[in-house]
Each structure stands twice: as C-alpha cells, then as structure tokens.
Amino acid sequence: MSFLVAGTLQVAAQLADAQDSLGRKGKYSIQGLRVALILSSPGASAATVAALDGVFQALGFENCKKREVSVQNFHEELILFREQLDAHGSPMGCALVALVAPSRQLRQPQLLIQELSHCKTLRGCPKVFLLLSSGSGDAQEPGDFLTGLGEICGRCPHWSLLQLLTEFFCRIAEESSGDTFCPVLRSSLRGALCLGSVEPQRPEPDPGPSAQYDLCGARAALFLAVTRDRPGTQHDVAALGDLCQALGFKVTLRIDPTAQAFQEELAQFQERLDTHRVPVSCALVALMAHGGPRGQLLGADGQEVQPEVLVQELSCCRVLKGHPKIFLLQACRGGKRDPGVGPTALPWYWRWLRAPPTIPTQADVLQVYVNTQGCVAYRDEKGSDFIQTLVDVVRAKPGGDILDLLTEVNRRVCELDVLGPDCDDPRKACLEIRSSLRRRLCLQA
C-alpha cells in the first residue's frame, strides 16, 4: 500500500501480490488488463478529471470508467466495480481507482480499500488508490498536482512507482516557497512496480530518480531499545549497531527507556546534533519496544508514547533541514495474528493511520514499521525477522537506493512463515514504509 499527502490532497495505493505475480525476483509482472475507475462527487472540477485521464494514459491505462455520485455512494460503486471485474473472466494486470471528493468528506478510505481487496480477479495484482480532495486553504489543487505527476510518468515510464513519486516530491519542493505540506507515501510493496515499458533493444535505463542526497557530512544514530520481556532484542541491537558503524554512523544506545525517556532522549539527541561541530548529513533512529493497537510504543514502565511525536521532535532539528531522517520501528501494533489469505497463505494488507487531512511539514523523513496496524510483530531469541533481514539486505548492497532495499526486505519478510506462540499454524508479517524523501538515499557511495 502506498499513501501520499500533499496539503489536503491524498493519494493512496494498496498493493498486494501472490508469489506467482512476480515476473522475476524483486519485480512485479504486470500482465493482463489494466482497469481504472474514477468516482467523483457532484461539483468536482472538470480540470481534475481531465488531469486524471492524463495520468492514467501515462501509466498505460487507456480506458477507464467514470461515475459522478455522492460520497455516500462511493462504497456501493466499488462493490459494483468489484462484481463486474469478477464476472469479466479475463486476466487482470493492475487496477487504479481515483476518488474525487470535497476536503474532509472521505473519512474512512480504508473501507473502500478493503472492498477492492476482496476482488478475486485482482488477487495477486497491484491495486492503486488515488484519493483527491480540495477546499479553501489547500496547498495545491488536485488538477495542478496530477498534471505534474502525469508529466513525470510520461517522461520516465521505466521508473518504478516509488521512484516516480520520489522524483515528483523533489519537484514539489523545488517549486514551493515557504512552508508547504510535505508529500508522504506509504508502501508495502514487495517488488519494483513499473507500469511503463522499455523497448528490449534499448540499454538498461537509469534507475533514477535524478537527484541524490549528499551524505558527505557526519552521521548519527540513536537506538532506544526496551529489552524487558523482549528476548532477542539484544541481537537486533548488536546486528544493527555493527551495520550502522560500518556505514559511518556514530551510535548512541539507551536500554530500557521509560515512555518519558523516549521523548527526553530524542530531545537531547536533537540538541546534540544542533550543536555538533561539523555538518550532519543523516540521522537514524531505531525504536524497539512493545507496542499498542493504535501504533503507540510502550516504554519500560508500560506507559505510552506516540512515534509521531518523536518524528516531529527530530524534524525540528535545524542542522538536519534538507537532510534524510530515518526511523526504524520494531514493535507490535496490537494483538492480532495474521494467518495470510488464500492457498499460498500470502496475506493482504491495509493500514491507515487516522490522521487529519493536513499535517505539518516533515520533509526528508523515512519511517519503517514492522507489521500491520493491529498485528503482532514477531521476534524470538535470535532477534526479529525485520531487523535481521534488514541488516542482511543492506550489507549485501549498501550502495543501493534505500527504498529499493526496503522493498526487498519486505519481500523476504512477507515470504517467511512464522510459527507464532499462539498456535502451530504459520503466521505472516509485513512492513509499512512511509517516505517523504525527495531524493535518492544511498547510504554508501
């Protein structure tokens, strides 16, 4: 799933795959029909609908259905669309749905996401959702946003969807003046999703995006790890610490912080960076703790702290303005166990945080959560699958684009069958990657 917020403009995509949907390791195979649907509420801008057509064509969706209905009827239209696809009979390659409505009226988009996830014909196929809204005070109108996105998609069809969005974020930043609402994508992709095509006789294209973060300055990392009643955490701390040191990060470790100490340690970390004698080019924060169903972390004292508060703390760091800030969160997000879906036991995921239509600017932030909203994050005495796999993947290709590497980490974690403590049946896990990065991030030259 991907999710983008630009002002009150929201772009969301949920993508799920079965193992046989990967044409080759690490890349989705987009074969079959590409279906698209536009649902717009009465009074929606004609320019927005026209711009959507441009994006659809740039992404290879030549035909799409359009319906003008009230927001209250969006769910019924999605049900009808799903039933038509299931009755179609032909193989599907990808589905793209655009929902256009006034600001703040799409309060529970996850229900619409879930509806299309039940489509049997689309099982194993990417499903992309674009949620577009506009109103007074919006940072950018949907039509303008979509026109720019369509131009980039048409110019670089060989780039993956995540690469296209990162490049587009860079353009937004360059064209904006003053405070802006920063785009954020959310992804649980397990392979590169390239909706365009490249002629076979042409050389392999540049992987893009064109801009890359300069990491010539100092690098700092902060680990906050709760080890009480969390066997294996010490192995995660050791493995991640060795990796960070190999990549040039100076690591600060705090064991068993209370909820208040989580915030205090972040504040002190930020103050140390602002007074650092040499420029700082990158910061990494690893948070390892028990967690709750609303995404909160639990300190060693059992009290709660919200990860968003910690992210905002580091976003205020003056020396890190314009530089990447990485957050790794290894924690449960509830008590549910995911058994997966279908005969291959590969799961479908939808995760939406209840957030206001607009959020403060938090540019250049990369957050990685282990597991879905409301689900358990698995770990044993050897450590967690997330941290151990992350270390293996980054060590193998430290110069790779971090979003590509994290997508590979997710693929490996999703393909694991975990034997949970609740029963003998295999369970599944999946990452959620949130990025407002505006350039390529490669941790090693």
Side-chain angles (χ1 to χ4, degrees):
M1 174 182 63
S2 306
F3 182 83
L4 177 86
V5 181
T8 58
L9 172 65
Q10 303 183 16
V11 181
Q14 175 167 338
L15 305 109
D17 69 288
Q19 190 168 1
D20 58 2
S21 72
L22 299 177
R24 61 181 177 86
K25 185 176 180 180
K27 185 174 182 179
Y28 283 86
S29 177
I30 308 299
Q31 302 294 332
L33 298 176
R34 299 187 181 190
V35 294
L37 171 69
I38 298 176
L39 296 179
S40 59
S41 62
S45 168
T48 297
V49 177
L52 277 170
D53 281 333
V55 173
F56 287 178
Q57 292 179 13
L59 293 175
F61 295 81
E62 296 182 356
N63 300 307
C64 73
K65 297 182 178 181
K66 304 176 185 177
R67 292 278 292 162
E68 181 178 299
V69 295
S70 66
V71 176
Q72 291 76 13
N73 292 330
F74 276 10
H75 191 210
E76 295 180 4
E77 292 293 333
L78 259 296
I79 293 176
L80 179 61
F81 184 59
R82 172 181 60 80
E83 292 175 345
Q84 291 172 344
L85 293 180
D86 279 337
H88 194 278
S90 300
M92 297 292 172
C94 186
L96 195 158
V97 175
L99 309 177
V100 186
S103 178
R104 295 178 176 83
Q105 287 197 15
L106 286 171
R107 297 184 181 276
Q108 292 184 310
Q110 65 271 24
L111 298 179
L112 305 176
I113 303 294
Q114 293 174 17
E115 184 58 50
L116 201 58
S117 293
H118 297 321
C119 182
K120 297 179 181 178
T121 308
L122 285 173
R123 178 168 292 179
C125 302
K127 292 167 283 293
V128 182
F129 276 75
L130 310 180
L131 280 71
L132 309 176
S133 63
S134 62
S136 59
D138 287 351
Q140 188 176 30
E141 284 297 315
D144 298 335
F145 180 90
L146 290 167
T147 298
L149 181 59
E151 290 175 359
I152 288 184
C153 292
R155 190 177 74 243
C156 306
H158 51 277
W159 285 3
S160 73
L161 181 61
L162 296 187
Q163 291 169 341
L164 288 169
L165 289 175
T166 302
E167 181 75 5
F168 189 45
F169 293 178
C170 184
R171 174 187 286 193
I172 292 175
E174 291 174 348
E175 295 178 352
S176 300
S177 59
D179 293 334
T180 62
F181 290 100
C182 184
V184 178
L185 69 87
R186 300 185 184 182
S187 169
S188 60
L189 288 172
R190 303 181 225 176
L193 175 59
C194 301
L195 295 174
S197 59
V198 181
E199 297 177 10
Q201 66 270 23
R202 296 183 62 183
E204 187 72 17
D206 173 68
S210 56
Q212 184 168 319
Y213 285 103
D214 181 0
L215 300 187
C216 292
R219 306 180 188 189
L222 173 65
F223 295 178
L224 301 178
V226 175
T227 61
R228 297 177 186 173
D229 301 320
R230 301 186 73 247
T233 303
Q234 69 276 17
H235 297 296
D236 285 349
V237 169
L240 190 60
D242 290 344
L243 174 65
C244 286
Q245 290 179 1
L247 292 172
F249 286 85
K250 181 180 179 181
V251 178
T252 300
L253 171 63
R254 296 291 182 265
I255 297 295
D256 290 330
T258 63
Q260 182 177 350
F262 268 94
Q263 294 181 269
E264 293 174 348
E265 290 291 345
L266 253 297
Q268 294 172 13
F269 184 61
Q270 180 242 311
E271 291 174 359
R272 290 197 298 271
L273 294 180
D274 277 336
T275 58
H276 206 274
R277 65 180 184 275
V278 297
V280 180
S281 61
C282 185
L284 184 149
V285 176
L287 308 173
M288 310 176 200
H290 290 297
R294 296 183 303 278
Q296 68 270 38
L297 298 175
L298 303 181
D301 56 352
Q303 300 300 306
E304 299 179 359
V305 61
Q306 294 294 338
E308 288 77 10
V309 175
L310 306 180
V311 174
Q312 292 173 7
E313 183 71 46
L314 200 58
S315 295
C316 298
C317 185
R318 294 189 303 274
V319 301
L320 285 176
K321 185 176 182 179
H323 299 288
K325 298 164 278 289
I326 305 170
F327 284 80
L328 306 176
L329 291 91
Q330 205 288 320
C332 294
R333 304 177 74 183
K336 298 178 183 177
R337 269 76 172 177
D338 194 330
V341 174
T344 57
L346 291 175
W348 299 75
Y349 296 97
W350 53 84
R351 293 170 305 282
W352 299 88
L353 289 182
R354 295 178 179 178
T358 60
I359 59 175
T361 296
Q362 292 181 10
D364 310 293
V365 175
L366 176 63
Q367 303 175 63
V368 186
Y369 294 76
V370 60
N371 233 311
T372 62
Q373 187 74 29
C375 289
V376 168
Y378 291 102
R379 165 187 37 77
D380 58 24
E381 65 278 359
K382 297 180 181 179
S384 66
D385 293 327
F386 166 47
I387 296 296
Q388 298 298 324
T389 304
L390 172 69
V391 170
D392 289 343
V393 169
V394 176
R395 280 193 180 279
K397 194 177 180 181
D401 186 328
I402 192 67
L403 290 181
D404 292 340
L405 297 179
L406 288 171
T407 300
E408 172 64 12
V409 172
N410 193 38
R411 183 190 69 80
R412 296 189 187 186
V413 170
C414 287
E415 291 181 359
L416 293 174
D417 285 321
V418 182
L419 292 178
D422 55 326
C423 67
D424 293 331
D425 295 330
R427 302 302 188 185
K428 287 293 179 179
C430 182
L431 307 184
E432 180 183 17
I433 303 163
R434 307 181 195 176
S435 171
S436 62
L437 296 178
R438 296 179 286 179
R439 296 170 178 83
R440 294 184 71 209
L441 175 56
C442 302
L443 296 177
Q444 189 175 90

